[in-house]
Amino acid sequence: MKILVVYAHPEANSYNGTLLAATRETLAAEGHELVVSDLYAQGFNAVAGPHDVTGRADKDRFSLGVEQMHAAQTNGFAADVQAELDKLMAADVLILQFPMWWFSMPAIMKGWIDRIFACGVAYEHGRTWKKGVFAGRRAMIAITVSAPAEAFLPDGKNGDMERVLWPVHAGVLGLCGYSVLPPFVAHGIPFCGEEAMAAQLETYRDRLRSLESTEPLFFHMGDDLDEHRLRSDVEPRTPGQHRGPRYHMAEPH
Amino acid sequence: MKILVVYAHPEANSYNGTLLAATRETLAAEGHELVVSDLYAQGFNAVAGPHDVTGRADKDRFSLGVEQMHAAQTNGFAADVQAELDKLMAADVLILQFPMWWFSMPAIMKGWIDRIFACGVAYEHGRTWKKGVFAGRRAMIAITVSAPAEAFLPDGKNGDMERVLWPVHAGVLGLCGYSVLPPFVAHGIPFCGEEAMAAQLETYRDRLRSLESTEPLFFHMGDDLDEHRLRSDVEPRTPGQHRGPRYHMAEPH
């Protein structure tokens, strides 16, 4: 398979660098064709804006979605965007590898998503989830976290990791149609020590060897939905959806 | 009060621009002192890296947290970081205003957090949550979303908005000690039409006028915690924590 690893870490001599080296080795041994976008090494521009496109649908007023759509229709993406788009569209499997910073991804990785998951190419109205552009392809995130695993358990002080990852799993990968594999999460980096880090590296190699056979995560889509909400007879069974009480926002009317 | 608005939108002539103009007007009328960091207009560098610091604790190996801590101890932040840090440290209230892109913030806003919420200044080991640097100060996010409100209800197709916002509310603002105010969320932008957009603008003005009196969100901290987890006799009551089943990750052992 063709596999694209998008990698965001400022230091090659890091545990993330070790994971990337293991990725190259393991996927090559499995006979896969690997392409790596090393965003820091490339000096990737993280900021989506008018420089993403070579022409304009509206010269006076820049709307990212509108101009991405226009660029998609006119072959008008800037060279750095088009180069990454070509890699993305060619890949059977997408792996996003990054250290978790602030319960999310480094800005340079978020910028890759803002700019490359372009409207009109990676998604558009009516082409999401089941009908998504990447339906039939697989995606996975591989992250390192400084906190121990306990802190991200369901009753952990940081909240449940599967809820923390919902915006990426559902809001980026699932929405664009990918079959999303369970995340690889290395915990306690680097505080857990050499031995535990080596053990987690082996777990990651196993995950890389089973990319094709791993069961994807479940998301509600298609017939489970009634326009914007779950059908009333569908029992929510994802980390993002529920019918229990709210705590931070007003209950629905 | 001194209020810092960090604003991330590539187009001044946008609904976000309208919200920002209303912010300037409303807060001035209330007698507050407003500082705006308009990240796109400033050409803010979104990417955290070695350029954030002028000296190094470790010249061979760049660790963001380690070098931020070193810079904090040696007055060694790069000028663009220090300028934003000065604004952040002076502000009684922090407002992050942005369009929701991919269930999260634009990369340029995430980069502001990665670079400015620096270890050794905005947080450090033992200085989080109740003992956080910003304890006693207030923070709020103000966002625009293209989807209608229904899509982000608890059983909405996108998942519950309060869970989508957990990484920002808990993982950035709460963790650093802020009293986090309920988010302002403008839905259906721009599809809801002029009238609904104008109504949401008025709601936002009301929120700005009540920054000092609004009840903050609840988070578990201090005595509710037993090292990394909630105490077993504490009932979880936040969007991030629970003791129900998991759906995307393995149950705890």
Side-chain angles (χ1 to χ4, degrees):
Chain A
M1 296 190 301
K2 291 184 177 178
I3 301 179
L4 172 61
V5 174
V6 185
Y7 168 79
H9 197 284
E11 173 58 61
N13 181 18
S14 62
Y15 187 66
N16 268 277
T18 302
L19 290 176
L20 181 62
T23 304
R24 292 185 191 277
E25 191 183 279
T26 307
L27 294 180
E30 296 287 309
H32 297 305
E33 189 181 323
L34 176 64
V35 173
V36 175
S37 285
D38 182 341
L39 300 182
Y40 269 91
Q42 290 173 215
F44 183 75
N45 181 353
V47 179
H51 50 266
D52 287 5
V53 294
T54 57
R56 287 284 287 270
D58 184 340
K59 283 196 165 42
D60 298 325
R61 196 167 175 281
F62 180 80
S63 159
L64 183 61
V66 168
E67 297 302 339
Q68 286 179 333
M69 180 70 89
H70 178 71
Q73 290 161 349
T74 57
N75 195 24
F77 286 106
D80 64 338
V81 173
Q82 189 61 53
E84 295 299 314
L85 255 176
D86 290 345
K87 297 181 198 173
L88 176 64
M89 301 313 292
D92 303 304
V93 177
L94 172 67
I95 297 175
L96 304 179
Q97 192 205 320
F98 55 92
M100 177 175 274
W101 288 354
W102 298 107
F103 288 27
S104 181
M105 55 186 69
I108 200 169
M109 178 69 81
K110 182 55 168 54
W112 189 86
I113 290 168
D114 292 344
R115 301 181 70 210
I116 311 306
F117 274 67
C119 186
V121 186
Y123 75 100
E124 60 191 280
H125 187 72
R127 291 191 74 196
T128 55
W129 292 104
K130 242 181 176 157
K131 299 173 183 165
V133 169
F134 301 102
R137 310 194 200 191
R138 299 183 151 226
M140 177 173 85
I141 65 169
I143 65 176
T144 58
V145 179
S146 57
E150 291 72 28
F152 283 102
L153 288 177
D155 62 354
K157 68 175 176 182
N158 292 339
D160 191 346
M161 180 60 87
E162 66 170 40
R163 294 193 184 179
V164 170
L165 297 178
W166 174 259
V168 186
H169 282 153
V172 181
L173 302 174
L175 188 117
C176 289
Y178 281 107
S179 293
V180 185
L181 303 187
F184 169 75
V185 185
H187 278 287
I189 308 302
F191 310 107
C192 64
E194 293 294 331
E195 201 175 323
M197 290 206 284
Q200 295 189 82
L201 180 62
E202 286 314 303
T203 302
Y204 188 47
R205 286 185 191 272
D206 289 341
R207 289 297 311 278
L208 292 168
R209 290 187 194 105
S210 54
L211 287 174
E212 293 172 275
S213 58
T214 300
E215 186 71 21
L217 305 177
F218 172 80
F219 295 93
H220 293 289
M221 56 182 93
D223 290 344
D224 281 3
L225 303 175
D226 184 6
E227 204 179 359
H228 298 301
R229 297 172 73 170
L230 294 187
R231 266 188 10 227
S232 57
D233 59 333
V234 170
E235 192 62 31
R237 48 195 177 97
T238 70
Q241 291 147 328
H242 67 105
R243 289 205 183 89
R246 274 184 148 179
Y247 300 101
H248 280 181
M249 296 180 75
E251 296 289 346
H253 312 297
Chain B
M1 297 189 300
K2 291 185 177 175
I3 301 179
L4 172 62
V5 174
V6 185
Y7 168 79
H9 197 284
E11 173 58 60
N13 181 18
S14 62
Y15 187 66
N16 268 277
T18 302
L19 290 176
L20 181 62
T23 304
R24 292 185 191 276
E25 191 183 278
T26 307
L27 294 179
E30 296 286 309
H32 297 305
E33 189 181 323
L34 176 64
V35 173
V36 175
S37 285
D38 182 340
L39 300 182
Y40 269 92
Q42 291 173 215
F44 184 75
N45 180 353
V47 179
H51 49 266
D52 287 4
V53 294
T54 57
R56 287 284 287 269
D58 184 340
K59 284 197 166 40
D60 298 325
R61 196 167 174 280
F62 180 80
S63 159
L64 183 61
V66 168
E67 297 302 339
Q68 286 179 332
M69 180 70 90
H70 179 71
Q73 291 162 349
T74 57
N75 195 24
F77 286 106
D80 64 337
V81 173
Q82 189 61 52
E84 295 300 314
L85 255 176
D86 291 345
K87 298 181 197 173
L88 176 64
M89 300 312 291
D92 303 303
V93 177
L94 172 67
I95 298 176
L96 304 179
Q97 192 205 320
F98 55 92
M100 177 175 273
W101 288 353
W102 298 107
F103 289 27
S104 182
M105 55 186 69
I108 201 170
M109 178 69 82
K110 182 54 168 55
W112 189 86
I113 290 168
D114 292 344
R115 301 181 69 210
I116 311 306
F117 273 66
C119 186
V121 186
Y123 76 100
E124 60 191 279
H125 187 73
R127 291 191 74 196
T128 55
W129 292 104
K130 241 181 176 155
K131 299 174 183 164
V133 169
F134 301 102
R137 309 194 200 191
R138 298 183 153 227
M140 177 172 85
I141 65 170
I143 64 176
T144 59
V145 179
S146 57
E150 292 72 28
F152 284 103
L153 288 177
D155 62 354
K157 68 175 176 183
N158 292 339
D160 191 347
M161 181 61 87
E162 66 170 39
R163 293 193 185 179
V164 169
L165 296 178
W166 174 259
V168 186
H169 282 153
V172 181
L173 302 174
L175 188 114
C176 289
Y178 282 107
S179 292
V180 185
L181 303 188
F184 170 75
V185 185
H187 278 286
I189 309 301
F191 310 106
C192 64
E194 292 294 331
E195 200 175 323
M197 290 206 284
Q200 295 189 82
L201 180 63
E202 286 314 302
T203 302
Y204 188 47
R205 286 186 191 271
D206 289 341
R207 289 297 311 278
L208 292 168
R209 290 187 194 106
S210 54
L211 287 173
E212 293 173 275
S213 58
T214 300
E215 186 71 20
L217 305 177
F218 172 81
F219 295 94
H220 293 289
M221 56 182 94
D223 290 344
D224 281 3
L225 303 175
D226 184 6
E227 203 178 1
H228 298 301
R229 297 172 74 170
L230 295 187
R231 266 185 14 224
S232 57
D233 60 333
V234 170
E235 192 63 30
R237 48 196 178 97
T238 70
Q241 292 147 327
H242 67 104
R243 289 205 184 88
R246 273 184 148 178
Y247 300 101
H248 280 181
M249 296 181 75
E251 296 289 347
H253 311 298

